[in-house]
C-alpha cells in the first residue's frame, strides 16, 4: 500500500505528485504510455506567468513555468491575431511561449521524481475498485487515488465521479516555415463552434482546429484538410485529441479519490488552454492530499480551494462560450458579433474576463 497513486503523467498528474512527494509521502504515478508526453496532441502554446496571474489572480506557485528548460521553449509569442469569418484581423497583445510538449511533460515528471515520486510507465489502468487500482500489470493499493488521466478519465468513471460531459474533437499537425510571433485564431464556418489555429514554433508551426459542437465532430477531418490545404501547408505529425468544453465538473472529490486537470474539466473554454490550469490545480491537489494524510484535513478542501482559485474565471469563460454559441451558427451573425466586440473585448474573452462589464 502506497500513500498516493496518481493515474496519468501529464501536467496535472506530475504536478500533483510533485507536491505530495515534497512532504515525504510515498507517491506512485501510473502512466499508460511507454514514453511520457508522446505522441504530442497539443497546440503547445502556454501563457506567460504574468498572463496566468492576470487570469487567475489567486494562483500561487507556477514555478514550473519559470523552470522550463530553455531547450524546451520554442518561440516567444507577443500576441494573438483573431480573424473574423470574413478574414478581418484583430490583434491582441498577449505574452506566451511555445514548447515541445513532450519535453515539457518529461520536465514536469522529472520535477515529481526529484521530489521523490516514482513513475511506472507502460501501465494501463483499467478501473478502480474501492482503493484498489486495477491495471494490465497487476493491482495497486493506495490511501488516496488521483485521476489525472485526461478528458475521458477512467478513474472518474469507475469511482462514481463524472468526467467532463462536453468534449470537442480537435486535430493538429506540424507544418514547416517561418511564422510571425503571433498565435492565429480563425473563427467561422472554418471550424464551426470552435476555431482553427496557427501556432508558431521554431521554423515550423502547429496548425489545427477544434469543433466545439458535437454535431460537427464527424466533419473535423475534412474541415482540417480544407484549412491546411487552402493555406498550401504540407502537414506532418497529424494527431487528434479531445478538449473538455463543458467547464469544470460538479464534483471532484469522492471518499479517497480526486480528479484534476482535463479529467475535472479544468480548461479555459474560450481558448482551449488547459496546461496552465492543470499546473495550478495540480499544486492545490498535492497540497490538500498532503494535509489530509499528515494532518487529517478533509480531502474535500481540494474542491473548495481549486474553486476559490480558478472557479470564477473558468465559469465566466463558460458563460462567454455559451453566449458565443448563439452566434456560431452563421458566419454573418458571427461577423457582426465579433465586429461589435472589437479586439479589446475579444482579449477579455480570451483571458476569461467578463466581455461586457457591468
Ligand atoms: C489538439 C489539442 C490542442 C491543445 N492545445 C493546447 C495548447 O496549445 N495549450 C494548452 O494549454 N492546452 C492545449 N490543449 C489542452 C491540453 O493538452 C490539456 O488541457 C492538458 O494536457 C491537460 O493535462 P492533464 O495532465 O490533465 O491531461 P493529459 O495531458 O491528457 O495527461 C493525461 C495522462 O494520463 C495518461 N492516461 C490516460 N488514461 C490512462 C490510463 N487508463 N492508465 C494510465 N495512464 C493513463 C495519458 O497517457 C496522459 O499521459 C490542447 C488539447 C488538444 C486535444
Amino acid at each position: 500500500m502506497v500513500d498516493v497513486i496518481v493515474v496519468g503523467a501529464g501536467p496535472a498528474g506530475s504536478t500533483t505528485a510533485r507536491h505530495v512527494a515534497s512532504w515525504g509521502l510515498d507517491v506512485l504515478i501510473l502512466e499508460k504510455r511507454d514514453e511520457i508526453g508522446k505522441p504530442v496532441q497539443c497546440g503547445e502554446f502556454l501563457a506567460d506567468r504574468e498572463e496566468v496571474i492576470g487570469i487567475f489572480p489567486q494562483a500561487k506557485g507556477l514555478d514550473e513555468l519559470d523552470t522550463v528548460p530553455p531547450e524546451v521553449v520554442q518561440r516567444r509569442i507577443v500576441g494573438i491575431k483573431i480573424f473574423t469569418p470574413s478574414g478581418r484581423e484583430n490583434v491582441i497583445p498577449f505574452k506566451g511561449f511555445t514548447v515541445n510538449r513532450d519535453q515539457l511533460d518529461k520536465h514536469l515528471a522529472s520535477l515529481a521524481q526529484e521530489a521523490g515520486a516514482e513513475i511506472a510507465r507502460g501501465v494501463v489502468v483499467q478501473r478502480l475498485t474501492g482503493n484498489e487500482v486495477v491495471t494490465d500489470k497487476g493491482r495497486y493499493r493506495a490511501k488516496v487515488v488521483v485521476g489525472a488521466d485526461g478528458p475521458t478519465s477512467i478513474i472518474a468513471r469507475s469511482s462514481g465521479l463524472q468526467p467532463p460531459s462536453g468534449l470537442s474533437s480537435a486535430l493538429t499537425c506540424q507544418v514547416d516555415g517561418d511564422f510571425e510571433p503571433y498565435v492565429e485564431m480563425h473563427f467561422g464556418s472554418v471550424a464551426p463552434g470552435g476555431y482553427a489555429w496557427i501556432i508558431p514554433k521554431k521554423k515550423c508551426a502547429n496548425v489545427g482546429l477544434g469543433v466545439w459542437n458535437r454535431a460537427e465532430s464527424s466533419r473535423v477531418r475534412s474541415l482540417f484538410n480544407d484549412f491546411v490545404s487552402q493555406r498550401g501547408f504540407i502537414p506532418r505529425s497529424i494527431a487528434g485529441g479531445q478538449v473538455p468544453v463543458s467547464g469544470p465538473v460538479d464534483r471532484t472529490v469522492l471518499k479517497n479519490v480526486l480528479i484534476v486537470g482535463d479529467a475535472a474539466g479544468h480548461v479555459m473554454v474560450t481558448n482551449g488552454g488547459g496546461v496552465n490550469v492543470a499546473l495550478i490545480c495540480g499544486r492545490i491537489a498535492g497540497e490538500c492530499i498532503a494535509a489530509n494524510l499528515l494532518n487529517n484535513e478533509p480531502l474535500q478542501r481540494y474542491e473548495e480551494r481549486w474553486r476559490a482559485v480558478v472557479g470564477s474565471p473558468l465559469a465566466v469563460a463558460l458563460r462567454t462560450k455559451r453566449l458565443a454559441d448563439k452566434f456560431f451558427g452563421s458566419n454573418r451573425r458571427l461577423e457582426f458579433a465579433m465586429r461589435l466586440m472589437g479586439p479589446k473585448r475579444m482579449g477579455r474573452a480570451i483571458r476569461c474576463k467578463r466581455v461586457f462589464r457591468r
Side-chain angles (χ1 to χ4, degrees):
M1 163 97 79
V2 291
D3 292 317
V4 183
I5 286 178
V6 176
V7 181
S14 290
T15 308
T16 305
R18 176 188 178 208
H19 287 284
V20 183
S22 68
W23 289 90
L25 293 159
D26 296 333
V27 187
L28 173 64
I29 305 180
L30 301 177
E31 168 54 54
K32 73 176 176 188
R33 293 169 168 176
D34 293 322
E35 185 177 346
I36 289 173
K38 282 213 162 156
V40 174
Q41 299 162 307
C42 187
E44 306 186 289
F45 175 55
L46 269 77
D48 267 7
R49 197 169 187 280
E50 191 185 312
E51 290 283 0
V52 181
I53 297 296
I55 298 170
F56 305 108
Q58 314 289 328
K60 300 232 163 51
L62 288 166
D63 59 301
E64 294 87 357
L65 291 180
D66 302 331
T67 60
V68 176
E71 66 276 13
V72 178
V73 177
Q74 285 282 294
R75 194 74 192 270
R76 302 302 316 176
I77 298 295
V78 300
I80 300 178
K81 290 184 176 175
I82 296 188
F83 293 87
T84 66
S86 72
R88 196 182 168 110
E89 180 183 292
N90 297 269
V91 181
I92 293 150
F94 191 100
K95 288 195 191 125
F97 58 101
T98 51
V99 292
N100 284 333
R101 175 66 198 272
D102 54 330
Q103 291 176 353
L104 176 75
D105 284 15
K106 286 187 183 82
H107 165 66
L108 297 172
S110 73
L111 293 179
Q113 281 175 311
E114 279 162 26
E118 262 188 61
I119 306 180
R121 297 175 184 78
V123 178
V124 183
V125 172
Q126 294 163 332
R127 65 181 181 280
L128 177 70
T129 3
N131 58 356
E132 200 168 64
V133 179
V134 181
T135 80
D136 63 343
K137 305 275 185 326
R139 292 164 181 252
Y140 299 81
R141 287 165 66 86
K143 294 176 193 158
V144 174
V145 176
V146 178
D149 47 346
T152 57
S153 175
I154 194 85
I155 293 300
R157 280 182 285 135
S158 59
S159 64
L161 293 165
Q162 296 295 324
S165 56
L167 297 177
S168 142
S169 301
L171 273 180
T172 186
C173 70
Q174 291 215 331
V175 303
D176 292 325
D178 285 318
F179 295 84
E180 291 183 344
Y182 289 89
V183 165
E184 291 188 14
M185 295 170 80
H186 297 257
F187 288 85
S189 52
V190 66
Y195 68 89
W197 62 78
I198 300 176
I199 303 179
K201 291 182 71 180
K202 224 179 257 171
K203 302 266 174 214
C204 66
N206 289 330
V207 177
L209 59 80
V211 287
W212 294 357
N213 171 340
R214 209 166 287 176
E216 300 290 351
S217 317
S218 58
R219 291 210 299 139
V220 68
R221 172 63 76 158
S222 64
L223 290 163
F224 169 82
N225 289 342
D226 290 349
F227 185 71
V228 169
S229 62
Q230 277 161 15
R231 279 159 183 78
F233 293 141
I234 299 167
R236 57 183 165 80
S237 316
I238 300 176
Q242 290 183 305
V243 183
V245 287
S246 46
V249 299
D250 290 341
R251 198 169 178 187
T252 56
V253 182
L254 189 61
K255 294 184 190 151
N256 66 330
V257 180
L258 64 79
I259 50 177
V260 62
D262 274 12
H266 290 151
V267 171
M268 297 176 274
V269 298
T270 46
N271 59 52
V275 175
N276 292 124
V277 198
L279 299 179
I280 296 170
C281 295
R283 181 192 177 99
I284 296 172
E287 290 175 352
C288 291
I289 294 166
N292 171 258
L293 293 176
L294 295 171
N295 300 331
N296 254 335
E297 280 187 26
L299 209 49
Q300 195 60 34
R301 283 279 291 136
Y302 162 64
E303 178 105 38
E304 295 157 16
R305 277 193 56 198
W306 75 253
R307 285 194 194 281
V309 176
V310 302
S312 175
L314 295 189
V316 169
L318 185 61
R319 280 201 295 276
T320 304
K321 163 84 177 79
R322 288 196 173 143
L323 182 67
D325 283 344
K326 298 188 195 308
F327 297 92
F328 273 130
S330 121
N331 272 353
R332 205 165 53 84
R333 259 186 299 156
L334 186 58
E335 182 77 30
F336 173 75
M338 289 179 80
R339 286 194 186 207
L340 194 70
M341 278 175 82
K344 267 216 170 108
R345 289 196 178 101
M346 289 180 193
R348 292 183 62 79
I350 293 290
R351 293 185 169 93
C352 306
K353 308 253 180 264
R354 280 198 183 91
V355 173
F356 298 101
R357 280 187 255 204
R358 280 183 208 146

